[in-house]
Amino acid sequence: MRSMLSALTVVSSLFLSALAVAGQTVGDARGRAELERLLKRLPEKEFFNEWLKKSGELPPDFDALPSQFYLSDPLMWDKNGRLQRVARADWPERRKQLAGLVEKWLLGTAPPPPGNVVADILEKTQDRGHTVLKAQLRFGPNHAAKLNVTLYLPQDQSRPAPIFLCDSERYISWAEGAMAQGFGVAVHGARDSKDESLAYANLFGDYDWSSFRRRGWSASRVVDWLVTLPFVDAQRIFIGGHSRSAKQATAGAIFDERIAGLIASSPGSGGSMPYRYCDQSYFGESAEQLTSRFPDWVHPRVRFFCGREDKLPADSHFLYAMMAPRPVFMSTATEDQVESTWAIEQVYKSIKPVYELLGAPQNLAFRYRPGPHPTDAPTAVAFSQFLLAAARGEPLGELFPFTPIHPWDYAAWEEKHAPRESTQSFQSIQSFPKAKLADPTLDDKGRRMNAETWRAHRATIQNRVRWLLGEGPEFGQTPVKFGVKEPEELPKQL
């Protein structure tokens, strides 16, 4: 039997594949009417209004977009007019399709590499056993774009050093263990505070890049420089960050395959949290909240889908799929207020088959930490362990195995529990009569039941509730053991 999940995936994947080639449009009259309804529902935001005026863009044809409540399968595509699973040889083409969807709907487009990055060494010092180079990169038209970088190198430069690239000095602690074993760290200035990339946002032409796309692209300009240095291992340049820094690190890594791996620490919505699984009333930042509070972070088109996240043609699991087969460390907290553990696990499950297809299932690492959003000291140690193991080509999935809090597999359950006849005359879900809230003490003809009739009807209701809840194990008395100490970590995970 084809499962409900499989059917939804097929519908969504077919649409996504077609969209990657042709796109969807809506007539001007309908589009303007839809935009008017949208603007009435959403809080007014100047940034969004300015973009609408400048671009003249209208919402997509929502009627043509299927509702996809689960994550679409990145390995399903339309090839030669037939929906099929992606073969390994087809992955580069499928990855290109995913990149186009991510650019159009989530992050925006960026200029090609300028190809003319030069570095001015401003200062060379020693700090706690490391050589520190402060450099300013210049690139673009007339070398007008400028980006500052601080590079920390081991004093022993007898062999090229792997590099951890980040956007803040506070992430150096993540690599301390790795630095003790020959790693270097590069810190660049395209970040959320004092963003140096803003100065060249309009220098390269008419691109609709979001801030995360632009900062990720800027990180690639650091890579342009690093790969020219004889004391840097050009094959082992990793990138990472926490929260918003993780989002922009991901935006850089997915579009630059020279970056060898990614540490994504609690990136939240638009990162490890798909928009269709976000709701500010419960967990995460919804599409509306994110595009209201930080309107420049992602492409304004995301705001079209506020309240219609199920219609979004691309979501954040595509970003992780684009990383395959390179090493990725998905890190989150059990009580993280901007991430849902269930949603993170769905993302992992959706991209693991991509890594399996490419022969690299052990390149996907996963780790929970107890507590809220900020990282802790054991997590920094784990990040260094990841960097060292990834640089050596060791199996990361063994070092940091996927240990789900929510192991439930609905598709497997549905396959095992096909609809069947029951003692309550429920032949199948399709045969159920349409029902609405009604007085349970009335019979099928609307007459009030007497006590005897009610008792029989009550038993029927009980049986239906038991059927709905599922069959449980037989009740048995569990022996009580006193004096058993609760594990110290357990209360932190509840």
Side-chain angles (χ1 to χ4, degrees):
M1 159 181 114
R2 175 180 290 179
S3 71
M4 180 179 70
L5 283 177
S6 298
L8 286 170
T9 298
V10 165
V11 172
S12 180
S13 298
L14 180 60
F15 167 72
L16 292 176
S17 298
L19 181 63
V21 178
Q24 290 287 336
T25 58
V26 65
D28 285 353
R30 286 181 58 201
R32 284 193 294 270
E34 180 59 49
L35 179 60
E36 185 178 347
R37 287 192 293 269
L38 181 74
L39 294 177
K40 286 180 179 179
R41 291 200 312 267
L42 298 178
E44 184 174 355
K45 295 298 173 182
E46 183 179 356
F47 184 93
F48 187 57
N49 290 341
E50 289 179 354
W51 174 76
L52 290 172
K53 183 177 180 180
K54 178 182 177 181
S55 67
E57 190 153 342
L58 296 173
D61 185 354
F62 289 111
D63 291 339
L65 299 176
S67 292
Q68 175 63 63
F69 298 103
Y70 298 97
L71 298 179
S72 57
D73 188 345
L75 290 180
M76 293 299 294
W77 73 330
D78 182 3
K79 183 179 181 182
N80 300 325
R82 187 168 66 90
L83 186 67
Q84 57 188 283
R85 198 158 186 81
V86 173
R88 184 166 181 169
D90 292 325
W91 175 247
E93 186 178 351
R94 176 57 174 160
R95 186 183 183 280
K96 186 176 179 181
Q97 285 186 351
L98 296 180
L101 291 168
V102 167
E103 283 192 317
K104 178 171 182 178
W105 299 107
L106 304 180
L107 294 175
T109 56
N116 65 343
V117 174
V118 296
D120 299 321
I121 306 302
L122 307 178
E123 183 178 277
K124 182 177 180 179
T125 59
Q126 299 294 318
D127 180 33
R128 292 174 291 180
H130 293 89
T131 299
V132 182
L133 300 178
K134 290 186 180 293
Q136 184 177 76
L137 307 185
R138 294 182 291 111
F139 50 89
N142 301 315
H143 289 95
K146 296 179 175 62
L147 181 65
N148 287 294
V149 183
T150 303
L151 179 59
Y152 298 81
L153 294 165
Q155 284 189 336
D156 180 7
Q157 297 176 16
S158 58
R159 58 181 180 179
I163 299 294
F164 175 57
L165 176 60
C166 56
D167 65 12
S168 174
E169 302 281 345
R170 66 178 178 271
Y171 301 129
I172 294 177
S173 64
W174 291 10
E176 283 183 353
M179 293 172 77
Q181 299 188 47
F183 251 80
V185 174
V187 183
H188 66 83
R191 49 178 170 256
D192 201 53
S193 60
K194 300 180 180 178
D195 182 5
E196 296 176 17
S197 72
L198 271 173
Y200 51 82
N202 300 314
L203 181 64
F204 294 89
D206 188 19
Y207 292 92
D208 63 349
W209 50 6
S210 60
S211 290
F212 285 155
R213 183 75 167 97
R214 187 182 67 247
R215 294 168 192 163
W217 182 89
S218 299
S220 288
R221 307 292 67 83
V222 181
V223 176
D224 289 346
W225 174 53
L226 291 175
V227 298
T228 68
L229 304 177
F231 42 80
V232 166
D233 187 340
Q235 303 302 314
R236 292 174 175 82
I237 298 173
F238 301 86
I239 195 170
H242 179 70
S243 197
R244 62 191 65 180
S245 292
K247 289 185 179 74
Q248 56 203 46
T250 303
I254 62 175
F255 291 107
D256 190 341
E257 295 186 79
R258 298 172 301 172
I259 295 175
L262 168 69
I263 296 176
S265 176
S266 298
S269 60
S272 291
M273 277 291 293
Y275 290 110
R276 54 190 13 91
Y277 290 160
C278 288
D279 187 327
Q280 68 239 34
S281 299
Y282 299 96
F283 49 79
E285 292 174 311
S286 68
E288 197 288 315
Q289 188 179 46
L290 187 75
T291 56
S292 287
R293 295 178 60 195
F294 309 106
D296 62 309
W297 278 7
V298 296
H299 198 281
R301 288 192 189 100
V302 172
R303 196 162 175 81
F304 281 146
F305 293 87
C306 295
R308 284 175 167 159
E309 291 83 358
D310 58 301
K311 299 278 190 176
L312 194 59
D315 219 327
S316 58
H317 65 305
F318 282 4
L319 280 64
Y320 283 114
M322 289 174 62
M323 279 298 301
R326 292 171 289 166
V328 168
F329 195 166
M330 298 178 67
S331 174
T332 192
T334 53
E335 288 83 41
D336 198 323
Q337 62 268 35
V338 301
E339 291 191 332
S340 156
T341 54
W342 180 84
I344 303 304
E345 292 178 11
Q346 305 316 302
V347 171
Y348 178 95
K349 292 175 182 178
S350 74
I351 62 171
K352 183 66 179 291
V354 181
Y355 277 80
E356 292 171 342
L357 174 73
L358 301 177
Q362 290 300 320
N363 276 352
L364 197 53
F366 189 96
R367 181 180 181 272
Y368 278 123
R369 63 183 182 277
H373 187 63
T375 58
D376 53 18
T379 299
V381 172
F383 289 157
S384 271
Q385 292 173 333
F386 170 86
L387 290 171
L388 290 168
R392 296 170 185 146
E394 296 175 357
L396 303 168
E398 294 180 9
L399 184 61
F400 301 104
F402 178 57
T403 53
I405 296 175
H406 314 277
W408 174 250
D409 187 334
Y410 179 81
W413 178 90
E414 189 185 33
E415 292 290 343
K416 185 177 179 181
H417 297 82
R420 62 189 183 189
E421 290 192 14
S422 70
T423 56
Q424 290 80 40
S425 299
F426 296 166
Q427 277 69 41
S428 70
I429 293 176
Q430 288 74 22
S431 69
F432 285 11
K434 291 185 178 181
K436 59 183 179 180
L437 291 177
D439 188 339
T441 65
L442 299 179
D443 63 18
D444 294 340
K445 296 181 179 180
R447 296 173 300 191
R448 187 73 60 189
M449 299 179 188
N450 58 34
E452 183 178 353
T453 306
W454 166 249
R455 281 192 290 270
H457 185 63
R458 182 174 179 272
T460 300
I461 294 175
Q462 288 176 328
N463 288 335
R464 289 179 176 178
V465 171
R466 290 191 187 100
W467 177 87
L468 181 64
L469 296 178
E471 299 173 0
E474 293 294 328
F475 175 77
Q477 183 67 45
T478 302
V480 178
K481 295 183 180 180
F482 295 100
V484 178
K485 184 178 180 181
E486 184 179 55
E488 292 183 2
E489 292 300 315
L490 183 59
K492 298 178 183 179
Q493 297 180 20
L494 298 178

